[in-house]
Amino acid sequence: MPSTLQLNHVQAPVTAAAFAYLGSKVLLLVGEGCQLKIFDNDNCRVLHSVRVFHSQSVHGIQCRWEADQEEVVCLVWGGRAAAILHLRLNASDFCTVSLSEELLANDWIANTCFLKKGNNHQSSITQAIFLTTHNVLYFLVSDSSPQFHVPGRLSCKMIAAGPTSVLYSAHVVVDASGQAFIAAGTVFGEVLIWASALDSTHNDSGVSASASVLHTFRGHEGSVFGVTIAETSSVVDYSPSTCLVASCSDDRTIRIWDSSPLSSASAKAHIQTGFSSQIMEPDINSEKCIASIIGHSSRIWGLKFLSKPATAPRWLSFGEDSTCQTWQLVKNLPSATSISSDKQHPYKIQHDETYAYHVGKDIWAVAVDLQNENVFPILTVGADGRVVSYSIPNADVHRWTADVPILRNSAIERQSTLFEVSINNPSRSVSPAERAFWEIRGRWSLHRVLESAIPAYPSGSFSGIATLTQREPTDKDYDAEYLYEEEGEMTTRQGLTMQGSRRYVYRYQRATGSITAWFVKTDTIASVDYLFHKVSFCDSSNQIPENEFLPTDDISSAKGHHLCVNDNYDAEYKFQYRDMYLTQWNLKYTVKGPGKDYTASTNYTRIAEVRSSLAKGTDAVEKTGPSYGKAGAVSTDIFKSYHWIGRSEVIATTAHGCIYLGTLDGNNHTGNLLSDTTAATQSWAFSWSLVDQIPELYSYSIGVSSSSHAVILGAANGSLYYYKRSSREIITLPKLSGKIAGLFAGELQKSEESHQNSAAIACCVNDINAYYFSFVTVDATLKDVSPFVKLTLPPEFIVTSACFSPLEHLLVLGSRNGAVCFYDRHSFHLDGPISACCFIRQVHIDDAITTIQTVPKNNFETAGNFLLTAGRDGKFALHRFHVCREDSETTVSLECLHTALPSFGPNIEGACFDRVNRDLLLWGFRSTDFVVWNETKRFEVMKVACGGAHRSWAYSPSNDGQNGGLFIWTKASTCNIQAQAQASHRVLQAGGHGREIKAMAICPVTIEFDDGHGYLVATGAEDTNIRISFTTGVNASSAHSMRCLGVISKHNTGIQQLQWSSDGRFLFSAAGLEEFYVWRIQRVPCIGVGSLCISQCPKVTDSSDLRIMGFDVESITADTDKEHDRFTVVMAYSNSTIRIWSFDATTSGQAFGLLSLGTYKSCCLTQVHFLRLGEKSYLLTAATDGYITFWPIADLRARWESRNSLPKRSLGQDAEDFDSDLKWNCQHHIHQSSIKCLTIHRLSDSEVIVATGGDDNALAFTHISMNVELPDLPVCSTLLLTRAHASTITGIQCLGPELDSDQSDEKISWTFATVSNDQRLKSWILTIDSRKPRAEWLSVRKGANLHSSIADASCMEISPGVRGGKKIMVAGIGVETWNIANV
């Protein structure tokens, strides 16, 4: 039965993208290779995939739909090919596709445009125009069935020809009058604007049209790769009908041209295009370039306008650097700093945002949906095969601002897309009134002296306590409000005593900078009654910026007046500041009237305040005010730390010792911002409320969120405080003896549903101990705090992270120098310091470990306990730890299973595993950006331009499977909050490498994941990365995908070759610069597969140009029953040398040892393999001279055992320093030039078939067997097919035996497959008939001849198959999978 090949899966560059509306659905269309994929925008599901062209990649998609029709018509083109598709949805929302025949035009198609249906047109006819790369306009017609809307035969006719040139890009639009306008970008750096008036009457005589050239724009210094015409835009100082054209070029510039008027009146009779030796006349439109800028870091491929009609011009560009960038056009004012590349331009181009959601090189296409009112949905595709969607601006990102929180406690409504929360804005001056109002809040002891001249009003003194409490303003015209309450005892001069109290309200209005005092009613809520007096400051005009400082003493004065019927009340205020604090103030009333004549002088002094405490004997804490600068200026207070508590609240501390609770809330909405699907439509707000002010937290504070219910704060004097979320109160914890330098907290376990056990670690400056304590909460209420347990730290161990693992009851600490230590919590006691039971150095070399987490598992994953660590070396690692407890002693061993360097680096500050989907999320800083990275799915979740790592910040992931989160940070003395309900973008298709794949290897051992059995596939590319992917068996339900499990980043050059060990536990990789690494591959939880570099082969020369061209690996067994981790590795180098190395994965020292060395001729070696024929062992090499060569080798096991006795000079020396003990003895000429690929298929112990492909386009099958007469010289016979492919053959594999009916022991057939740079995949049936003379044994007949979507194919591999199925995998610019079926 002949073997047939069926295309299974394509992961190729995606080169086209478009939006379409079908009923209520938004469809996303992308072109990948020859196929068109249709995604549902709602759930990112592939609705349909159809092969549009036979052998041409899709380059563009144009869609047309009408609101009253449930059908989308798509015009798809690529190269010379074009096709029409009709898309419809059936009752089950499955997309059905009707495809026309493929039309081949006379030239490559550059751009297309649908024509609107006229009144005379039949609805069954689809009309469009397209422009070719030689600037010729064609008319395209598709006849379709009016009943079924099935596209039929396509036909095209020439309309008109523009200026003779060769185009790289074009944009075609048709206006309402039927006039076609063309913007064409040439290879000569010109932008041509021409028009053609269409006569769209469809008749037998065809279509008549005339062409006129409107503009010729010159200025680019390279080929124009992209050009686009904008809809009518509003530009300052330009006509409302201004038409703009944007172009981008090989010179990396973006230019904006004024192409108005688009009228044939401006047409030119003749123009000359192209590079010419003749001097051209100055172009009359040279002044039409109104702005230009150097854009991306590499070539720019295209642009898309984002502007709607009558809006300011904005556009998006994309290019070779795999980024999309947005820009806008602004007036180039003479006084402004110009970023334009030409200062003569009247406008300048201003950069807005950069979106870097692809990897490798090249974004090939971008689609913009202009149907939405407020946002622009974007779809981007690229060479990495990734399909990404997002919106500009992102509707899922929320940012807030609030006013000065001390002066305003009410919720601040969301006002714009970027908000800032600032305690003080340094650019704003603060009046003495605002300064005083800030300071008088709090509790004061008061002493009042009354002196009355009328006996009816007794004289005496009054002592008590006054409290000014901030509350919500009861009048919206005021920004802040205090309720003044005093209580005390009055003693008259006659000795009488009486109790007294009074209440007022003080209000502050920022707009007028005034304080007012008000009488209140006697009701329970102290409602405001009427105005008492206005507080007028004497020096109100003396306003000083906040960042100045006060002298030691300062007094500010104010006055007020109130007329009560016939009585005058004159008030005098004096505020005394010392060392930047309001220490006391005085209020004196002078009252005169017909029946009153007295003075009341009151001194207010801050009093000590006693807090609730769980620590016995805690001293009272004196509460003082915030700091100040020069007279009339509040000193700049800044946020010191942030701590998220729950999903919508944050605790913030300031330099003045204030503790604020920040809350995200919605109007009349009880949902959660990060979990509620309606959050984006709610009117959300952010508000601050003051919790307390603690003097010990002045200028220094540190904290940690212990759970979703509490925050622990530490001070410079060793004080510890516990914020209880349920009651919003501060509880004082036991005090330590030194400055709190570190706080770390975590959950231990839940003993019951409502009981939560948590623990914390506190570290002090210059203290060799850490202090452990635990606490129990019941229904979010703190019930008990344990005494401190003193832990002795290892020498020079500064704690930077902690993990309170419920597994094995361990406490794990990470240090600033990259070490970890373990403590057994079973052994904790109060009698003395506890020593670490395990101390391990250089877990992260010498960089700080910033996070330690326990790793969740599922049923498919390896047994054991696991930890994740991450640090400021930019790496994270997974470890397995084992605990042994014997005779009251605990020992812990730590085994590293996986290390990785995420691409967002270099500083990883935190990590977590999502509680819903168990994705690993990492966050940290890349330059000035804060980045959240999903390592499991390998894409960027959030990026915030916060200014870098050196600032106060806190991040809280949503943990709901949506990749959302909350980020708060300080920048320029302001606090900013950003909330995301989900990731910044969606990855509809993950894709693969962004560069050409040069090596591929399939693991010979099956592996099982949640989605079934399959194989691991390792691919290496020019991006220097190795990707480990999982592909399922041919009969599995998910056979149409390759899921990336991890990326290995260590090589510095492109990968040359990959190979697995026979048991699948080791992966060997080779690249340029003599890089050869050995990786241990194994199962790890959550991530799936862990990779760890266990050794590197030493370099043999000092030459930086030496490359490893090929290698082969064999396992060495010590006996027949047990296999050790020992291998023999042979490498062929680019200097024509061969080295055989021993490798022992179990050794702790140098794992590689040189066993043998040989030198070939001057030609470069390209392949090397171990070959055994009977009892003889050889190395088989291939070279650029077209020969295969045999190198006899003795039994390497003896050399293996004696490798330690080899001279030390065998490492790190040039080849000339060695005695070459490896010699070749036989050659066989096969190809005319270089042998590019080679595979060995064993027929028996003593004979093999070697199939080779070369850059001479030839395919050869060589039968090699033992020579009975001369055992050292193998016998070779070759069958050569000289024109097997039209280009270099780069991959060849044996598919298996061909089960023909006439086969026998003497006649057998095998099927081989080859792939070439001609993008053809072919199969060949090789028959070996030993009944014939030896020269006629081999015969070949052709099999399949199929188009491959993989350009520049470099390798081919065969999967062993799951449940009997096999697959061919072809790699190059992408990966392609074919099923092998026997029919």
Side-chain angles (χ1 to χ4, degrees):
M1 293 185 295
S3 297
T4 61
L5 303 178
Q6 299 173 348
L7 184 63
N8 176 278
H9 169 69
V10 176
Q11 188 183 84
V14 185
T15 51
F19 283 92
Y21 282 77
L22 186 55
S24 60
K25 282 191 176 295
V26 179
L27 304 182
L28 310 178
L29 288 74
V30 300
E32 184 176 23
C34 306
Q35 305 209 7
L36 180 72
K37 288 186 177 179
I38 305 168
F39 290 86
D40 187 341
N41 183 61
D42 294 334
N43 53 28
C44 303
R45 183 171 58 93
V46 178
L47 297 177
H48 198 82
S49 179
V50 58
R51 189 182 185 102
V52 180
F53 301 128
H54 174 69
S55 60
Q56 174 61 52
S57 296
V58 176
H59 291 165
I61 306 169
Q62 188 84 249
C63 296
R64 186 185 71 185
W65 64 89
E66 297 181 10
D68 58 342
Q69 295 185 6
E70 296 182 356
E71 181 183 61
V72 173
V73 181
C74 300
L75 173 56
V76 182
W77 73 92
R80 297 170 50 217
I84 297 288
L85 294 89
H86 288 218
L87 310 181
R88 299 178 66 87
L89 290 178
N90 57 21
S92 59
D93 280 347
F94 182 79
C95 186
T96 60
V97 178
S98 301
L99 178 65
S100 74
E101 63 181 11
E102 180 178 336
L103 170 72
L104 291 180
N106 295 329
D107 195 3
W108 273 49
I109 300 173
N111 197 248
T112 66
C113 181
F114 279 108
L115 297 181
K116 293 185 178 180
K117 295 181 179 180
N119 296 329
N120 299 327
H121 294 171
Q122 300 178 7
S123 61
S124 61
I125 298 178
T126 300
Q127 296 180 333
I129 57 176
F130 65 85
L131 186 74
T132 67
T133 54
H134 281 84
N135 212 14
V136 179
L137 192 64
Y138 282 83
F139 185 74
L140 176 69
V141 177
S142 169
D143 295 325
S144 60
S145 168
Q147 292 81 15
F148 304 102
H149 298 276
V150 176
R153 184 179 60 88
L154 295 181
S155 61
C156 66
K157 289 187 178 182
M158 175 180 169
I159 300 175
T164 303
S165 188
V166 179
L167 308 184
Y168 250 126
S169 57
H171 187 200
V172 181
V173 296
V174 178
D175 65 7
S177 65
Q179 177 115 343
F181 295 97
I182 296 95
T186 74
V187 298
F188 310 111
E190 300 158 329
V191 177
L192 308 177
I193 310 296
W194 62 283
S196 176
L198 303 178
D199 178 8
S200 57
T201 303
H202 187 55
N203 51 43
D204 294 338
S205 61
V207 178
S208 62
S210 59
S212 56
V213 180
L214 305 180
H215 302 280
T216 302
F217 298 135
R218 296 187 177 98
H220 284 295
E221 297 178 0
S223 300
V224 179
F225 292 140
V227 62
T228 182
I229 303 173
E231 297 187 48
T232 302
S233 301
S234 294
V235 183
V236 181
D237 297 337
Y238 270 74
S239 167
S241 61
T242 299
C243 182
L244 299 182
V245 173
S247 61
C248 58
S249 168
D250 193 19
D251 60 8
R252 296 172 45 217
T253 64
I254 298 172
R255 291 180 177 266
I256 306 298
W257 313 87
D258 177 12
S259 62
S260 48
L262 285 180
S263 170
S264 59
S266 61
K268 303 176 186 179
H270 174 74
I271 66 168
Q272 182 178 3
T273 65
F275 299 125
S276 173
S277 60
Q278 300 180 6
I279 300 177
M280 297 184 182
E281 296 181 0
D283 186 58
I284 61 173
N285 289 318
S286 60
E287 73 280 0
K288 292 292 188 174
C289 181
I290 63 175
S292 68
I293 193 173
I294 296 178
H296 296 240
S297 60
S298 55
R299 292 176 291 184
I300 308 173
W301 295 137
L303 309 104
K304 294 284 185 178
F305 271 100
L306 301 178
S307 308
K308 294 184 173 70
T311 60
R314 294 183 64 209
W315 64 94
L316 178 148
S317 62
F318 56 94
E320 191 177 25
D321 59 1
S322 290
T323 67
C324 286
Q325 302 186 33
T326 55
W327 313 82
Q328 61 177 316
L329 193 66
V330 297
K331 187 69 176 177
N332 194 5
L333 300 176
S335 59
T337 301
S338 176
I339 61 172
S340 174
S341 61
D342 190 343
K343 295 184 179 180
Q344 297 179 357
H345 295 152
Y347 291 86
K348 66 179 180 179
I349 299 173
Q350 181 173 293
H351 182 265
D352 288 340
E353 294 287 342
T354 298
Y355 304 89
Y357 299 145
H358 290 262
V359 297
K361 292 175 61 177
D362 299 315
I363 291 179
W364 287 127
V366 171
V368 180
D369 184 4
L370 298 176
Q371 304 296 315
N372 289 271
E373 196 66 32
N374 300 318
V375 299
F376 297 98
I378 306 295
L379 182 66
T380 64
V381 297
D384 57 357
R386 182 172 289 188
V387 180
V388 177
S389 70
Y390 52 96
S391 61
I392 300 175
N394 196 330
D396 295 313
V397 177
H398 307 265
R399 296 183 182 179
W400 285 266
T401 189
D403 215 327
V404 178
I406 274 294
L407 300 181
R408 176 174 293 196
N409 196 28
S410 59
I412 306 300
E413 294 185 359
R414 181 179 171 196
Q415 300 174 358
S416 63
T417 58
L418 176 62
F419 301 88
E420 296 178 341
V421 180
S422 69
I423 286 187
N424 300 112
N425 186 348
S427 63
R428 177 177 60 85
S429 298
V430 178
S431 66
E434 184 173 347
R435 174 189 178 195
F437 195 84
W438 163 284
E439 282 299 294
I440 61 175
R441 182 188 56 83
R443 300 178 72 243
W444 303 84
S445 64
L446 67 89
H447 182 73
R448 182 176 297 128
V449 177
L450 290 91
E451 295 286 348
S452 176
I454 301 176
Y457 289 87
S459 300
S461 62
F462 180 89
S463 297
I465 295 177
T467 304
L468 288 95
T469 305
Q470 186 175 358
R471 68 179 189 178
E472 296 286 343
T474 54
D475 189 330
K476 64 180 181 180
D477 292 334
Y478 293 89
D479 296 283
E481 183 174 299
Y482 293 156
L483 175 62
Y484 173 92
E485 296 176 293
E486 69 174 42
E487 292 183 352
E489 184 179 74
M490 179 175 178
T491 303
T492 66
R493 288 181 178 174
Q494 292 76 23
L496 298 177
T497 61
M498 62 190 72
Q499 300 295 318
S501 64
R502 67 174 63 184
R503 295 189 296 181
Y504 298 106
V505 162
Y506 283 93
R507 286 172 169 172
Y508 178 76
Q509 189 176 53
R510 172 168 289 158
T512 60
S514 61
I515 300 174
T516 51
W518 300 74
F519 292 107
V520 297
K521 299 178 181 179
T522 58
D523 54 15
T524 57
I525 61 173
S527 303
V528 176
D529 196 354
Y530 59 93
L531 179 66
F532 184 9
H533 62 267
K534 179 180 179 181
V535 182
S536 300
F537 282 78
C538 300
D539 55 348
S540 59
S541 63
N542 182 21
Q543 296 184 345
I544 306 297
E546 291 181 344
N547 55 1
E548 301 294 335
F549 292 95
L550 276 172
T552 303
D553 294 286
D554 179 57
I555 296 177
S556 180
S557 302
K559 293 182 179 181
H561 175 76
H562 174 71
L563 177 63
C564 181
V565 188
N566 295 321
D567 299 328
N568 287 286
Y569 288 75
D570 291 311
E572 296 181 40
Y573 293 82
K574 289 187 177 180
F575 301 93
Q576 181 176 341
Y577 303 92
R578 176 179 291 273
D579 294 332
M580 301 183 300
Y581 300 111
L582 178 63
T583 57
Q584 61 183 10
W585 57 290
N586 177 269
L587 173 58
K588 180 180 180 180
Y589 284 105
T590 301
V591 183
K592 290 186 180 292
K596 297 179 181 179
D597 187 1
Y598 69 89
T599 62
S601 180
T602 308
N603 285 320
Y604 295 86
T605 306
R606 283 200 186 272
I607 63 173
E609 181 177 334
V610 180
R611 308 180 191 281
S612 61
S613 175
L614 292 178
K616 296 180 179 180
T618 302
D619 296 334
V621 179
E622 182 181 356
K623 188 172 184 180
T624 60
S627 58
Y628 286 87
K630 286 185 179 179
V634 180
S635 67
T636 302
D637 194 6
I638 60 173
F639 286 108
K640 298 297 291 186
S641 63
Y642 305 104
H643 315 283
W644 287 105
I645 180 169
R647 292 189 176 185
S648 59
E649 294 181 345
V650 62
I651 289 294
T653 64
T654 75
H656 289 169
C658 296
I659 302 173
Y660 289 99
L661 174 65
T663 305
L664 290 172
D665 200 3
N667 297 334
N668 302 319
H669 184 69
T670 58
N672 186 277
L673 176 66
L674 298 183
S675 60
D676 200 308
T677 56
T678 63
T681 61
Q682 297 295 325
S683 177
W684 287 93
F686 182 86
S687 62
W688 287 113
S689 60
L690 183 68
V691 176
D692 207 339
Q693 187 175 16
I694 302 177
E696 285 82 357
L697 299 181
Y698 286 170
S699 75
Y700 178 84
S701 62
I702 191 172
V704 64
S705 298
S706 66
S707 65
S708 60
H709 307 297
V711 172
I712 302 173
L713 301 173
N717 67 347
S719 298
L720 293 171
Y721 303 95
Y722 182 96
Y723 169 76
K724 186 165 64 172
R725 183 185 183 190
S726 58
S727 61
R728 296 191 175 182
E729 64 175 320
I730 302 294
I731 298 174
T732 304
L733 299 177
K735 183 178 179 181
L736 293 175
S737 59
K739 179 179 181 180
I740 306 297
L743 279 174
F744 312 92
E747 298 180 1
L748 296 178
Q749 59 188 18
K750 285 188 176 181
S751 56
E752 298 179 12
E753 185 64 28
S754 60
H755 288 59
Q756 176 69 56
N757 296 332
S758 303
I761 288 289
C763 302
C764 298
V765 175
N766 298 326
D767 194 336
I768 63 172
N769 301 308
Y771 300 89
Y772 171 92
F773 58 99
S774 60
F775 34 91
V776 178
T777 57
V778 178
D779 294 325
T781 301
L782 182 63
K783 292 299 183 182
D784 183 45
V785 177
S786 70
F788 288 122
V789 176
K790 185 182 295 186
L791 308 177
T792 300
L793 298 174
E796 300 180 356
F797 194 99
I798 300 175
V799 181
T800 55
S801 56
C803 176
F804 303 83
S805 172
L807 306 173
E808 303 289 350
H809 297 277
L810 292 177
L811 169 66
V812 190
L813 302 181
S815 77
R816 183 179 295 175
N817 59 6
V820 297
C821 62
F822 291 80
Y823 294 86
D824 187 357
R825 289 192 284 114
H826 283 313
S827 64
F828 285 5
H829 54 80
L830 304 178
D831 297 337
I834 308 299
S835 299
C837 59
C838 179
F839 173 57
I840 303 174
R841 300 179 183 273
Q842 291 194 319
V843 175
H844 280 264
I845 313 300
D846 295 323
D847 292 289
I849 298 176
T850 55
T851 183
I852 305 176
Q853 302 277 335
T854 57
V855 181
K857 298 182 296 181
N858 65 15
N859 296 331
F860 288 98
E861 292 169 345
T862 309
N865 299 319
F866 299 88
L867 288 176
L868 177 139
T869 62
R872 294 201 175 103
D873 57 353
K875 297 180 181 179
F876 76 93
L878 266 70
H879 314 266
R880 178 165 41 209
F881 65 92
H882 303 273
V883 181
C884 179
R885 292 184 173 93
E886 293 182 359
D887 300 329
S888 70
E889 290 188 4
T890 303
T891 57
V892 180
S893 61
L894 190 68
E895 177 190 5
C896 184
L897 305 179
H898 174 72
T899 61
L901 187 69
S903 60
F904 80 88
N907 296 326
I908 302 177
E909 299 291 342
C912 76
F913 292 93
D914 193 283
R915 295 172 185 172
V916 175
N917 55 22
R918 300 196 318 145
D919 284 358
L920 172 59
L921 299 178
L922 304 168
W923 55 86
F925 293 90
R926 178 180 60 213
S927 185
T928 59
D929 296 331
F930 174 80
V931 179
V932 183
W933 175 263
N934 187 316
E935 175 65 18
T936 303
K937 295 184 172 64
R938 301 203 57 77
F939 74 97
E940 186 179 283
V941 170
M942 175 191 288
K943 184 180 77 170
V944 182
C946 66
H950 301 290
R951 63 198 62 253
S952 298
W953 63 275
Y955 175 71
S956 175
S958 61
N959 273 316
D960 58 3
Q962 299 299 316
N963 293 297
L966 298 164
F967 181 57
I968 183 170
W969 75 100
T970 299
K971 184 177 182 180
S973 300
T974 62
C975 171
N976 304 270
I977 303 100
Q978 176 165 312
Q980 285 189 196
Q982 58 186 12
S984 58
H985 62 287
R986 297 183 302 164
V987 179
L988 286 76
Q989 180 172 290
H993 291 276
R995 297 292 302 277
E996 302 88 343
I997 297 174
K998 293 299 184 182
M1000 178 170 58
I1002 300 177
C1003 181
V1005 180
T1006 61
I1007 191 170
E1008 182 180 6
F1009 287 99
D1010 294 339
D1011 48 353
H1013 286 79
Y1015 290 87
L1016 297 181
V1017 180
T1019 55
E1022 287 292 334
D1023 59 5
T1024 74
N1025 292 330
I1026 300 172
R1027 295 174 68 95
I1028 307 295
S1029 303
F1030 173 70
T1031 179
T1032 56
V1034 66
N1035 298 321
S1037 59
S1038 59
H1040 300 283
S1041 65
M1042 283 183 62
R1043 178 163 58 91
C1044 180
L1045 301 179
V1047 176
I1048 301 174
S1049 301
K1050 189 175 178 65
H1051 284 281
N1052 296 306
T1053 59
I1055 311 300
Q1056 287 287 120
Q1057 185 181 339
L1058 298 169
Q1059 185 174 334
W1060 292 88
S1061 63
S1062 58
D1063 58 4
R1065 294 188 301 121
F1066 297 95
L1067 177 66
F1068 302 84
S1069 63
L1073 304 179
E1074 297 185 63
E1075 293 178 344
F1076 187 90
Y1077 297 116
V1078 183
W1079 309 87
R1080 178 179 282 114
I1081 309 296
Q1082 54 191 314
R1083 291 292 302 268
V1084 295
C1086 286
I1087 294 179
V1089 171
S1091 58
L1092 181 67
C1093 183
I1094 60 174
S1095 188
Q1096 176 181 6
C1097 184
K1099 295 186 177 182
V1100 298
T1101 70
D1102 297 330
S1103 172
S1104 60
D1105 297 329
L1106 190 62
R1107 299 167 58 185
I1108 300 174
M1109 303 300 297
F1111 69 89
D1112 197 11
V1113 178
E1114 273 193 349
S1115 177
I1116 296 294
T1117 56
D1119 50 57
T1120 57
D1121 299 325
K1122 186 176 181 181
E1123 184 174 351
H1124 297 271
D1125 298 336
R1126 304 196 302 172
F1127 302 89
T1128 302
V1129 183
V1130 58
M1131 301 183 195
Y1133 294 84
S1134 58
N1135 62 354
S1136 301
T1137 61
I1138 295 178
R1139 284 175 172 81
I1140 302 178
W1141 301 87
S1142 63
F1143 170 70
D1144 189 349
T1146 62
T1147 184
S1148 58
Q1150 175 57 255
F1152 280 91
L1154 185 59
L1155 300 181
S1156 190
L1157 168 66
T1159 303
Y1160 189 58
K1161 299 181 294 186
S1162 60
C1163 298
C1164 182
L1165 296 171
T1166 59
Q1167 306 277 334
V1168 62
H1169 294 272
F1170 286 107
L1171 175 64
R1172 184 177 295 274
L1173 295 175
E1175 299 298 325
K1176 296 293 183 179
S1177 296
Y1178 300 90
L1179 294 179
L1180 178 67
T1181 62
T1184 57
D1185 57 3
Y1187 283 84
I1188 60 172
T1189 305
F1190 297 87
W1191 307 67
I1193 53 176
D1195 188 0
L1196 296 176
R1197 188 173 303 168
R1199 288 176 175 260
W1200 229 106
E1201 300 299 335
S1202 62
R1203 72 183 184 118
N1204 292 330
S1205 62
L1206 293 176
K1208 297 298 182 182
R1209 64 187 182 91
S1210 61
L1211 299 179
Q1213 301 282 332
D1214 287 333
E1216 291 78 5
D1217 296 333
F1218 300 105
D1219 294 329
S1220 297
D1221 57 340
L1222 189 60
K1223 307 289 184 182
W1224 60 271
N1225 68 345
C1226 179
Q1227 284 189 303
H1228 183 67
H1229 191 205
I1230 299 177
H1231 291 271
Q1232 295 298 319
S1233 54
S1234 178
I1235 297 175
K1236 290 294 186 179
C1237 57
L1238 182 152
T1239 187
I1240 301 175
H1241 177 66
R1242 182 166 294 280
L1243 301 176
S1244 66
D1245 289 342
S1246 59
E1247 58 179 341
V1248 297
I1249 290 290
V1250 174
T1252 56
D1255 60 8
D1256 56 357
N1257 307 345
L1259 170 66
F1261 297 97
T1262 303
H1263 181 271
I1264 303 175
S1265 60
M1266 288 184 61
N1267 190 333
V1268 179
E1269 298 177 357
L1270 299 172
D1272 290 337
L1273 300 177
V1275 178
C1276 302
S1277 60
T1278 297
L1279 176 65
L1280 183 69
L1281 285 74
T1282 56
R1283 291 189 294 272
H1285 281 269
S1287 186
T1288 301
I1289 299 175
T1290 55
I1292 185 168
Q1293 289 292 336
C1294 179
L1295 306 186
E1298 194 73 19
L1299 303 179
D1300 290 338
S1301 57
D1302 61 342
Q1303 290 202 34
S1304 63
D1305 293 340
E1306 293 82 13
K1307 181 182 179 182
I1308 55 175
S1309 296
W1310 299 85
T1311 301
F1312 288 79
T1314 57
V1315 69
S1316 167
N1317 287 337
D1318 60 4
Q1319 291 191 238
R1320 306 301 298 181
L1321 175 65
K1322 297 184 178 183
S1323 64
W1324 312 85
I1325 296 91
L1326 173 68
T1327 300
I1328 305 174
D1329 191 349
S1330 60
R1331 297 170 300 182
K1332 297 181 179 180
R1334 185 176 183 88
E1336 301 177 5
W1337 275 15
L1338 303 180
S1339 63
V1340 174
R1341 69 178 187 271
K1342 296 180 181 180
N1345 184 357
L1346 304 170
H1347 171 76
S1348 172
S1349 297
I1350 305 303
D1352 293 336
S1354 60
C1355 52
M1356 173 193 292
E1357 292 291 333
I1358 303 294
S1359 70
V1362 179
R1363 302 182 182 94
K1366 286 185 178 183
K1367 290 191 290 187
I1368 296 177
M1369 299 189 72
V1370 179
I1373 303 180
V1375 177
E1376 190 176 58
T1377 304
W1378 296 78
N1379 291 338
I1380 305 172
N1382 292 322
V1383 249

